[in-house]
C-alpha cells in the first residue's frame, strides 16, 4: 500500500510530496462535481464507499465514476483509500492510485470528473443545506458559509466589506448581494484604484458646471447614479486620504455634495467595498482612516481562495467550458487533467484558472484535454510563483512588504520564502 505522505508519480517520474501527519479523525469527506457537493462524516471503524450505485454511501452523478468506485476506511492506523477496481481510477496529481494511507490533514482526490476533498478535525455540518447564490459557482462548505452570510445581510442597509485574494470573485459576490437586495436602483461598480486623485472627487460625488476648468456641464457622480441601488467600491484600500474623509460623511449620513456645489443631496445607496490588501496594516501605515474602516466593515465577508474550495473546481471548469463552447468547441477534460487542476494551488485563483483553461483548450489537438495540456497552460502563464523563484524581493514589493501575503502568492511556506529572501539579499 502506498503512503500518501510520499507518492511516486509513474507517468511523470516525479515525486508528489504531501505533508505527513498522523490524524485520528473524525474526517469530513466533501465530494463535488458540476452537479453540486455532498458531505459526509467519517469516524474510526467506519467505511465510506463512493460510486454511482444506489447502495453507495456517497452516491455520485458522474458517468466517469464506477458503481463502486473507491472506499475510504477509518482504522486505528488512520485513514486509507482503496480503488475498488474502478473503470477510470483514482488520481492524485496525475498519478493513478490503487491503495494508499492518507496521512495529510487536507487531501484532494479525483474520480472521473468528481473531486473528493478530505479534511480532518472539521465540523461536518448536519444543518439544512444553504441554497447557492445566483451567479456564484460552488457548493463547497466554504462557499456555502459565504452564501449563508450574503443571504442574511443582502436585504439590509449595513455596509459590507468583501475581503479576499485577487481573483477570488469579490465582484461576483457584490453583484449577488445587489441581486438579492431587492433594491430598485442599479448596481454601480467603480474601481477606485483607476481614478486619478485629481478626478476622484468628481467621479464619486459629481460636479457643478464651472466648478473647474473643463466642467462645461454639471455631472452626477457615482453615488447619485447608484441612488436606490448598490455601489461597489473596488480596491477601496487605494482610495486617497482626502477622498476618504468625504466618503466618511456619505457612509454616516448619506449626504453628497458635488464639487462646486453649495447644497448637499441625500442618496440612498447600499455601499459594498472590496479589497485584497490588509486594511488594518494600511491604517497603521497612516494610509487609511480607522474611522472609515470601522464604518465600511459593519459586515465583513471573506471570499475563500480557490485552494480552500477544491471540490468546486469541477463545477467551475464545467461552467467555463459551457460559456466558451461557441468559441473553442466542446471539450472533455480527462481525469488526469482534472486531477492536475485540483492539485495546483492557484495563486491567481478563479481568474488564473480561466486563463489556464483557455490556453489548455487551445493547445489540445482535439476534443480531449489531458494533463499535459494543463501543464502547458500553466507554464505559458504569468504566475506569482514563477516570479518569486526568480526575484522574491520583487514579489515582496508587490505585496507591500507583507511576508505572509508574498509567501501565499508564491505558494511557499513562510519559512521557505524567508530563506529565499535572505539568499536574494546576499546575492544583490
Amino acid at each position: 500500500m502506498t503512503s500518501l505522505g510520499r507518492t511516486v508519480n509513474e507517468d511523470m517520474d516525479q515525486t508528489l510530496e504531501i505533508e505527513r501527519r498522523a490524524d485520528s479523525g473524525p474526517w469530513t469527506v466533501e465530494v463535488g462535481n458540476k452537479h453540486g457537493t455532498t458531505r459526509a462524516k467519517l469516524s474510526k471503524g467506519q467505511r465510506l464507499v463512493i460510486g454511482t450505485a444506489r447502495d453507495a454511501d456517497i452516491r455520485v452523478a458522474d458517468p466517469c465514476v464506477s458503481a463502486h468506485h473507491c472506499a475510504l476506511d477509518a482504522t486505528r492506523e488512520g485513514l486509507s483509500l482503496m480503488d475498488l477496481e474502478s473503470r477510470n481510477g483514482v488520481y492524485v496529481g496525475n498519478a493513478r492510485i490503487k491503495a494508499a494511507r492518507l496521512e495529510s490533514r487536507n487531501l484532494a482526490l479525483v474520480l472521473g470528473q468528481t473531486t473528493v476533498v478530505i479534511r480532518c478535525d472539521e465540523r461536518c455540518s448536519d444543518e439544512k443545506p444553504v441554497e447557492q447564490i445566483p451567479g456564484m459557482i460552488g457548493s463547497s462548505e466554504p462557499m456555502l458559509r459565504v452564501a449563508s452570510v450574503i443571504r442574511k445581510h443582502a436585504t439590509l442597509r449595513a455596509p459590507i466589506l468583501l475581503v479576499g485574494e485577487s481573483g477570488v470573485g469579490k465582484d461576483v459576490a457584490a453583484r449577488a448581494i445587489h441581486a438579492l437586495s431587492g433594491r430598485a436602483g442599479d448596481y454601480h461598480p467603480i474601481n477606485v484604484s483607476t481614478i486619478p486623485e485629481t478626478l476622484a472627487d468628481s467621479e464619486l460625488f459629481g460636479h457643478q458646471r464651472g466648478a473647474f476648468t473643463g466642467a462645461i456641464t454639471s455631472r452626477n457622480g457615482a453615488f447619485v447614479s447608484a441612488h436606490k441601488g448598490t455601489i461597489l467600491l473596488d480596491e477601496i484600500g487605494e482610495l486617497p486620504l482626502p477622498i476618504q474623509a468625504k466618503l466618511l460623511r456619505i457612509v454616516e449620513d448619506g449626504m453628497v455634495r458635488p464639487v462646486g456645489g453649495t447644497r448637499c443631496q441625500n442618496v440612498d445607496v447600499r455601499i459594498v467595498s472590496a479589497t485584497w490588501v490588509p486594511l488594518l496594516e494600511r491604517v497603521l501605515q497612516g494610509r487609511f482612516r480607522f474611522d472609515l474602516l470601522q464604518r465600511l466593515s459593519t459586515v465583513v465577508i471573506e471570499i475563500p481562495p480557490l485552494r480552500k474550495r477544491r471540490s468546486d473546481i469541477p463545477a467551475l471548469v464545467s461552467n467555463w467550458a459551457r460559456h466558451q463552447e461557441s468559441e473553442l468547441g466542446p471539450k472533455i477534460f480527462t481525469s488526469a487533467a482534472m486531477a492536475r487542476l485540483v492539485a495546483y494551488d492557484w495563486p491567481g485563483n478563479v481568474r488564473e484558472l480561466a486563463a489556464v483553461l483557455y490556453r489548455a483548450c487551445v493547445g489540445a489537438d482535439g476534443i480531449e484535454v489531458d494533463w499535459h495540456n494543463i501543464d502547458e497552460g500553466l507554464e505559458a502563464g504569468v504566475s506569482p510563483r514563477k516570479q518569486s523563484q526568480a526575484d522574491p524581493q520583487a514579489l515582496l514589493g508587490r505585496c507591500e512588504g507583507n511576508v505572509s501575503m508574498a509567501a501565499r502568492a508564491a505558494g511557499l511556506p513562510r519559512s521557505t520564502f524567508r530563506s529565499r529572501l535572505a539568499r536574494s539579499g546576499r546575492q544583490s
Side-chain angles (χ1 to χ4, degrees), residues 5-9 12-17:
R6 194 172 183 84
T7 302
V8 178
N9 184 326
M12 293 289 290
D13 193 26
Q14 294 177 345
T15 297
L16 175 64
E17 296 285 355

Side-chain angles (χ1 to χ4, degrees), residues 25-162:
W27 294 269
T28 296
V29 181
E30 192 173 75
V31 181
N33 55 32
K34 66 180 181 180
H35 301 293
T37 302
T38 302
R39 276 165 292 278
K41 187 175 181 178
L42 181 60
S43 301
K44 273 187 180 180
Q46 293 183 328
R47 162 176 269 214
L48 282 179
V49 174
I50 304 173
T52 59
R54 290 181 178 274
D55 61 348
D57 298 303
I58 301 181
R59 193 177 179 190
V60 180
D62 183 343
C64 299
V65 171
S66 299
H68 300 97
H69 199 103
C70 67
L72 294 168
D73 289 287
T75 67
R76 292 181 179 179
E77 290 73 29
L79 193 63
S80 63
L81 164 74
M82 180 69 69
D83 185 337
L84 301 178
E85 299 183 358
S86 66
R87 182 174 66 253
N88 292 316
V90 179
Y91 284 82
V92 176
N94 65 305
R96 184 167 179 169
I97 305 302
K98 293 294 185 182
R101 292 193 307 275
L102 308 182
E103 297 180 350
S104 174
R105 291 182 64 82
N106 297 283
L107 187 63
L109 314 170
V110 171
L111 327 175
Q113 299 295 303
T114 297
T115 299
V116 180
V117 176
I118 302 163
R119 301 186 179 95
C120 188
D121 297 331
E122 290 199 7
R123 180 179 61 87
C124 182
S125 177
D126 295 324
E127 299 174 2
K128 183 180 178 180
V130 179
E131 187 180 351
Q132 287 182 258
I133 295 295
M136 295 182 69
I137 306 299
S139 54
S140 62
E141 193 164 330
M143 287 304 288
L144 290 183
R145 287 197 293 267
V146 170
S148 176
V149 176
I150 287 178
R151 287 191 178 278
K152 286 179 181 178
H153 295 93
T155 58
L156 306 180
R157 298 186 62 182
I160 293 178
L161 177 62
L162 302 172

Side-chain angles (χ1 to χ4, degrees), residues 315-351:
L316 288 166
V317 171
S318 176
N319 181 72
W320 179 90
R322 185 170 62 252
H323 282 88
Q324 295 295 324
E325 186 171 346
S326 60
E327 178 183 355
L328 302 176
K331 296 294 179 181
I332 297 174
F333 291 82
T334 67
S335 295
M338 191 65 71
R340 203 55 140 198
L341 294 170
V342 171
Y344 186 59
D345 276 346
W346 301 108
N349 293 293
V350 180
R351 188 180 296 128

Side-chain angles (χ1 to χ4, degrees), residues 350-415:
V350 180
R351 188 180 296 128
E352 183 185 11
L353 172 65
V356 169
L357 291 175
Y358 189 92
R359 292 192 292 268
C361 289
V362 171
D365 291 332
I367 191 173
E368 188 174 89
V369 180
D370 208 350
W371 64 265
H372 59 85
N373 301 122
I374 301 299
D375 280 1
E376 290 164 3
L378 286 166
E379 186 63 30
V382 178
S383 168
R385 179 174 300 178
K386 292 181 184 178
Q387 180 66 28
S388 71
Q389 293 172 352
D391 189 357
Q393 294 284 355
L395 180 58
L396 184 66
R398 287 200 300 277
C399 293
E400 302 189 353
N402 188 314
V403 175
S404 296
M405 184 184 300
R408 286 196 300 271
L412 297 171
R414 183 185 173 110
S415 57

